[in-house]
Amino acid sequence: MADHTFPDGFLWGAATSAYQIEGSPLADGAGPSIWHRFAHTAAKVFENQHGDVACDHYRRYRDDIALMRELGIRAYRFSISWSRVLPDGTGRVNAAGLDFYKRLVDELAANDIRPMATLYHWDLPQAIEDRGGWANPDSAKWFAEYADVMIRALDDRVPLWCTLNEPWVVVHEGYVMGGHAPGRRDWREAVAVSKNLLKAHAAAVEAYRARGKNKIGLVVNLVPIHAASESDEDKQAANRWDAYFNRQFLDPALLGKQPSEMADLYGEAWSDWTAEELAQVSQPIDFVGINYYLRLVAADDPSGGPPRAKAVRQPQSEYTAMDWEVYPAGLTEILKWVASRYGNVPLYITENGVALDDVVAPKGVLDDTRRVQYMNSHLKAAREAIGTGVDLRGYFVWSLLDNFEWQSGFSKRFGIVRVDFETQQRVPKASARFYTDVIRTNGGALGG
Ligand code: IFM
């Protein structure tokens, strides 16, 4: 039987983000975020749902931390709402907003749970959006100012910091597809935002080096891309998609270069970077956070948008409630790829999990066997990558709680803990109990 135990000190965590769980978005002097504005615009989110209450974590954070402790969770990845702390995006600090995050990290410390704080998980202050948002070249400077406020306030208690969560999603969903705030569809703007996000990431890292004493990294969502056939057209389409999804942010941030496919894939929308800009965005970082959910099989699609590729469904595969292919081997593949391409930088799996149509049994029991299987197979895949020498230091399940899944509202449930959104009752699912065993045995409970 294979040994599935993980290295000593492996960090076992759970992840959430501010707008998805906190609720009370305007409480205690907070300013609105683009997600508050977007979700309150008709027909943007499933059934016009919004994050006004969500999991009410802003008021129930102590109970949620107690629950994590009960489940044996050792680390908690959360994000900070920029507009709670800086209601106008820049300038005046809202002491009450900042105080929420101070209390949160104090409570984590009291429960022996290590915090990992993400500075940006998609909820840009609306006040910044009103000044052009991420398309404004000053956004990098504004982000660094906000980062500095947070570092000064929390670095003594937060050992791990993430600058941006999934910049690819910010660009693709926010500026290409328009399904996320701020809801635009403009490839040229997407190109500008992609560059400004990388500059913002680097500016925050620089601010961190000036004052921070711990570790800071970047979180990206990575997707193995396989060609649908052996044809040159499909192979090139897969390659363009790989550049678009996987290398667009990591190559500049870690290698100080652009993937060679960028001009081809963005076409007329593309504008070249200067050598100075490339040098500026490649600030050394302490780790890369990888969010892993699915694989894509790509075919050439000359009539499609700039990357000119389309996804081909795999009839033999299992798909989740998000319609994402379950493909655990891809996690081993992507971890090994990052380690070999970017020089075995320390890695964390900062998100991994599955949305399912959970069925609650009459006595309130939620036996989410498929989620247990999903976690089991993905954790084994992670363990396999470690066995080949990948420096993987931790795993954060997405998500601790069922929550607000962006344009899908509350219709997609990713939690290992069920949330009844009427009563706010939390009920650990079978997957939460399974995770408790995995953590207690440092992976031994994964079985052969
Ligand atoms: O819910 C999101 C999260 O905010 C970012 N990563 C993917 C998750 C599932 O879609």
Side-chain angles (χ1 to χ4, degrees):
M1 200 161 85
D3 175 14
H4 292 300
T5 54
F6 281 66
D8 287 345
F10 191 81
L11 205 55
W12 295 103
T16 64
S17 90
Y19 191 76
Q20 292 180 274
I21 66 161
E22 284 178 358
S24 308
L26 303 180
D28 303 327
S33 71
I34 56 172
W35 263 97
H36 179 72
R37 182 65 60 85
F38 191 74
H40 281 277
T41 306
K44 296 295 185 193
V45 174
F46 175 76
E47 292 185 348
N48 290 323
Q49 292 170 347
H50 49 68
D52 284 9
V53 177
C55 304
D56 198 21
H57 174 80
Y58 187 72
R59 299 189 308 159
R60 295 169 192 260
Y61 71 93
R62 284 198 178 86
D63 295 345
D64 289 336
I65 292 171
L67 178 57
M68 275 194 274
R69 186 188 178 118
E70 186 200 313
L71 293 174
I73 290 169
R74 306 262 168 78
Y76 178 49
R77 174 172 178 247
F78 63 96
S79 80
I80 296 159
S81 159
W82 181 346
S83 57
R84 259 194 216 293
V85 178
L86 295 161
D88 308 315
T90 56
R92 183 179 57 89
V93 173
N94 175 32
L98 190 55
D99 192 54
F100 169 67
Y101 295 106
K102 288 183 179 165
R103 285 184 278 122
L104 181 76
V105 298
D106 284 348
E107 191 71 15
L108 289 166
N111 285 277
D112 207 16
I113 297 172
R114 296 187 99 196
M116 176 188 265
T118 301
L119 288 163
Y120 186 69
H121 199 125
W122 308 353
D123 45 356
L124 191 74
Q126 181 62 40
I128 298 272
E129 182 60 26
D130 294 341
R131 286 185 260 167
W134 288 117
N136 186 327
D138 283 340
S139 54
K141 185 182 75 190
W142 298 331
F143 184 61
E145 284 169 19
Y146 152 61
D148 186 57
V149 171
M150 296 316 308
I151 296 159
R152 277 188 282 135
L154 299 186
D155 195 53
D156 58 342
R157 284 157 287 175
V158 173
L160 293 163
W161 292 82
C162 309
T163 54
L164 308 175
N165 181 71
E166 300 183 3
W168 180 84
V169 175
V170 176
V171 171
H172 187 73
E173 291 296 339
Y175 293 87
V176 174
M177 303 304 288
H180 280 194
R184 284 208 278 284
R185 293 166 148 246
D186 180 338
W187 283 98
R188 270 181 210 284
E189 203 175 14
V191 167
V193 168
S194 173
K195 183 191 283 189
N196 291 338
L197 283 169
L198 275 160
K199 288 186 175 174
H201 153 75
V205 173
E206 276 189 273
Y208 195 78
R209 298 296 175 224
R211 227 185 268 275
K213 302 221 170 350
N214 299 302
K215 309 265 187 226
I216 191 159
L218 172 66
V219 172
V220 286
N221 55 309
L222 298 180
V223 183
I225 312 276
H226 295 164
S229 79
E230 287 299 309
S231 75
D232 282 349
E233 289 77 12
D234 286 352
K235 283 186 189 161
Q236 281 164 20
N239 207 40
R240 282 194 299 275
W241 246 6
D242 182 57
Y244 184 55
F245 277 91
N246 297 324
R247 288 178 272 131
Q248 177 170 197
F249 295 94
L250 287 184
D251 275 15
L254 290 166
L255 305 178
K257 66 174 198 185
Q258 282 292 345
S260 55
E261 297 87 348
M262 293 314 268
D264 176 39
L265 81 83
Y266 273 112
E268 286 184 347
W270 180 248
S271 73
D272 269 329
W273 290 47
T274 64
E276 195 191 348
E277 285 174 326
L278 283 167
Q280 199 188 339
V281 301
S282 52
Q283 299 295 324
I285 54 176
D286 302 310
F287 64 89
V288 173
I290 296 173
N291 296 352
Y292 180 78
Y293 290 94
L294 71 152
R295 137 180 108 155
L296 286 171
V297 176
D300 189 35
D301 181 15
S303 61
R308 310 190 305 283
K310 64 179 177 206
V312 179
R313 205 177 164 82
Q314 302 302 293
Q316 79 288 358
S317 291
E318 179 190 354
Y319 282 75
T320 72
M322 299 295 283
D323 214 16
W324 294 347
E325 185 188 1
V326 177
Y327 192 73
L331 180 55
T332 317
E333 177 184 329
I334 218 78
L335 288 166
K336 287 167 73 176
W337 173 78
V338 173
S340 78
R341 184 173 180 84
Y342 301 105
N344 216 10
V345 55
L347 302 178
Y348 289 89
I349 295 170
T350 33
E351 289 181 25
N352 174 242
V354 58
L356 297 172
D357 298 322
D358 292 331
V359 180
V360 188
K363 285 190 178 153
V365 179
L366 212 152
D367 198 2
D368 55 342
T369 314
R370 286 175 66 206
R371 185 170 287 103
V372 171
Q373 286 163 354
Y374 183 100
M375 290 173 70
N376 189 305
S377 57
H378 285 77
L379 282 164
K380 282 180 182 162
R383 180 68 189 80
E384 193 179 325
I386 295 173
T388 70
V390 172
D391 186 5
L392 179 67
R393 308 225 172 148
Y395 173 92
F396 292 77
V397 65
W398 184 272
S399 178
L400 174 67
L401 303 170
D402 289 337
N403 61 45
F404 178 81
E405 178 54 27
W406 309 112
Q407 73 266 55
S408 303
F410 299 99
S411 68
K412 303 289 181 227
R413 292 178 177 268
F414 276 91
I416 58 170
V417 172
R418 181 172 178 88
V419 176
D420 179 327
F421 293 105
E422 298 294 316
T423 62
Q424 290 297 337
Q425 192 194 11
R426 274 80 161 135
V427 180
K429 304 177 190 177
S431 54
R433 302 297 177 202
F434 164 76
Y435 196 38
T436 299
D437 282 347
V438 170
I439 297 171
R440 189 178 42 75
T441 58
N442 200 28
L446 295 174

